[in-house]
Amino acid sequence: MLPGSGCDRPYAVTSLSDTAFAATDIGKGVQQTDSCKQTLDAAAVITCRVGDTSNPATTVALVGDSHMGQWVEALDAYGKSHSIEYVTYIKTLCAGTGAVGVTSPNGLAPSISSCTAWGRSALREVARDPAISSVVFTDFTETYLMTSSTPGSRMITSSDFISAWKPLIAAGKKVVALRDTPNADSVNVPQCVAIHRSQYDPCVTQKADALLSSAKDPLVVAARRLPGVSLADTTSVFCGPTTCHSVIGGLVVLFDDTHMTATFSRTMSDVVGSALSAAAE
C-alpha cells in the first residue's frame, strides 16, 4: 500500500494469510483481560509505558478505547527506535473525553458513569504531567454515534472532544486526533478470508461503510475546528478510492471486524509513528 513498494498484487492471499492465527492475534491494549486497558465498569486510571521507557527524549500520552489500544504494539516498536515513550490511558468502550452520558449501543449506567469519571481523571493526570508533551486521541468513534436505550445516554459530539482538549492545550500540550481505522461492517474478517481465500482481494468493505465520512466524524470535525489540534490519518494504507481491504501484504488485517491483529499493527509502526510525530510538531 505504500508508495514505491513495487508490489503489483498487494491484496493477494499468500502463505502468510493464516486465518486461524489471525483470529487469536490480539495485542497488548486490546485483550479482554489486559493490564494496559481498564475494564468496562471500572473508573480507576491505569497506565502502561511502552516504547523507550529508559531514557526517552519525548513522552506522549495515548487516550481512548481499544481502538487506541490496537496501536500499542506499533508504537511500542516505533518508540524504541525513536526515543519516544508512550503512556497509555485506555478503557473499554470509552472515548476518554470525560463527557456525561456518552455510550455505545449496549452501554449500561455503570459503564456510562465510569467512563465519565475515568475520562476526567485521565485528562487531569495528563494535564498535570510535565513530561508529557503531546496527547493522541483515537477511538471507535462510530460506536458512540449509535443510540442506547439507557436513560440519560447520548451520542458523542465534536463539542465533547473540544471540551476535553482545551484544558490540555492550555496546559501546554499538543493535541493530535488520529482518525479511526476502517472497520469491516460487522464481518468477521478471519472467517471471511478463510472461506474466500481463493479470491484475489477477498472480503473487501465499501469505504462508505467502513469509515465515517470526515463531515460526520466528530473527532475529525473537532480537530478541524479547534486551533492547536492536528489530525493524523492512516486510511490510505487500509483503503483505496472505494474499498477497504482485509488482506494487505499477505497479512489478515483484522482479528474480528474492527481491530487490527497485533502482527498487522506492528507492520504499521513507521506509518503511524511518523504520522503522529509529524502532527505533534
Side-chain angles (χ1 to χ4, degrees), residues 101-108 111-112 143-146 148 153-154:
V102 172
T103 186
S104 60
N106 298 320
L108 301 177
S111 65
I112 299 172
T143 200
Y144 306 115
L145 296 177
M146 301 177 187
S148 168
S153 65
R154 64 177 178 86

Side-chain angles (χ1 to χ4, degrees), residues 80-93:
K80 284 181 169 66
S81 60
H82 290 79
S83 298
I84 303 172
E85 177 183 55
Y86 297 95
V87 187
T88 65
Y89 296 82
I90 299 169
K91 176 172 162 60
T92 299
L93 287 175

Side-chain angles (χ1 to χ4, degrees), residues 2-243:
L2 301 182
S5 66
C7 181
D8 60 352
R9 287 174 59 82
Y11 319 120
V13 176
T14 72
S15 59
L16 294 176
S17 312
D18 186 334
T19 55
F21 173 74
T24 60
D25 188 18
I26 304 172
K28 182 189 301 183
V30 187
Q31 298 164 11
Q32 187 170 4
T33 302
D34 196 312
S35 61
C36 292
K37 179 169 65 69
Q38 185 53 278
T39 58
L40 183 64
D41 293 338
V45 175
I46 59 174
T47 62
C48 281
R49 294 178 181 269
V50 300
D52 184 352
T53 59
S54 57
N55 188 32
T58 306
T59 298
V60 178
L62 307 176
V63 181
D65 56 20
S66 59
H67 278 216
M68 174 60 82
Q70 68 179 341
W71 290 111
V72 169
E73 297 278 351
L75 293 174
D76 184 28
Y78 187 83
K80 284 181 169 66
S81 60
H82 290 79
S83 298
I84 303 172
E85 177 183 55
Y86 297 95
V87 187
T88 65
Y89 296 82
I90 299 169
K91 176 172 162 60
T92 299
L93 287 175
C94 187
T97 64
V100 175
V102 172
T103 186
S104 60
N106 298 320
L108 301 177
S111 65
I112 299 172
S113 60
S114 72
C115 179
T116 300
W118 175 86
R120 292 180 177 183
S121 295
L123 293 174
R124 281 195 299 269
E125 286 193 16
V126 172
R128 293 171 180 171
D129 189 338
I132 293 174
S133 60
S134 62
V135 192
V136 180
F137 285 78
T138 196
D139 56 74
F140 187 14
T141 316
E142 182 178 325
T143 200
Y144 306 115
L145 296 177
M146 301 177 187
T147 57
S148 168
S149 59
T150 304
S153 65
R154 64 177 178 86
M155 296 185 292
I156 202 166
T157 67
S158 59
S159 295
D160 293 325
F161 288 107
I162 290 173
S163 295
W165 297 343
K166 281 184 174 179
L168 298 175
I169 295 171
K173 316 297 183 187
K174 177 69 178 183
V175 174
V176 178
L178 175 59
R179 191 179 186 185
D180 191 20
T181 49
N183 67 77
D185 198 24
S186 300
V187 172
N188 183 293
V189 168
Q191 290 179 7
C192 183
V193 173
I195 294 169
H196 300 285
R197 52 183 309 121
S198 62
Q199 299 177 8
Y200 177 73
D201 198 10
C203 306
V204 298
T205 304
Q206 293 300 306
K207 193 173 182 178
D209 297 325
L211 196 70
L212 287 171
S213 70
S214 295
K216 294 181 179 179
D217 187 326
L219 182 138
V220 173
V221 171
R224 291 174 173 171
R225 284 176 52 192
L226 185 63
V229 179
S230 296
L231 180 66
D233 190 344
T234 62
T235 302
S236 62
V237 177
F238 299 88
C239 308
T242 60
T243 59

Side-chain angles (χ1 to χ4, degrees), residues 249-266:
L251 296 179
V252 179
V253 175
L254 306 178
F255 69 76
D256 53 8
D257 60 333
T258 72
H259 299 89
M260 285 184 290
T261 64
T263 301
F264 192 79
S265 176
R266 286 191 290 269

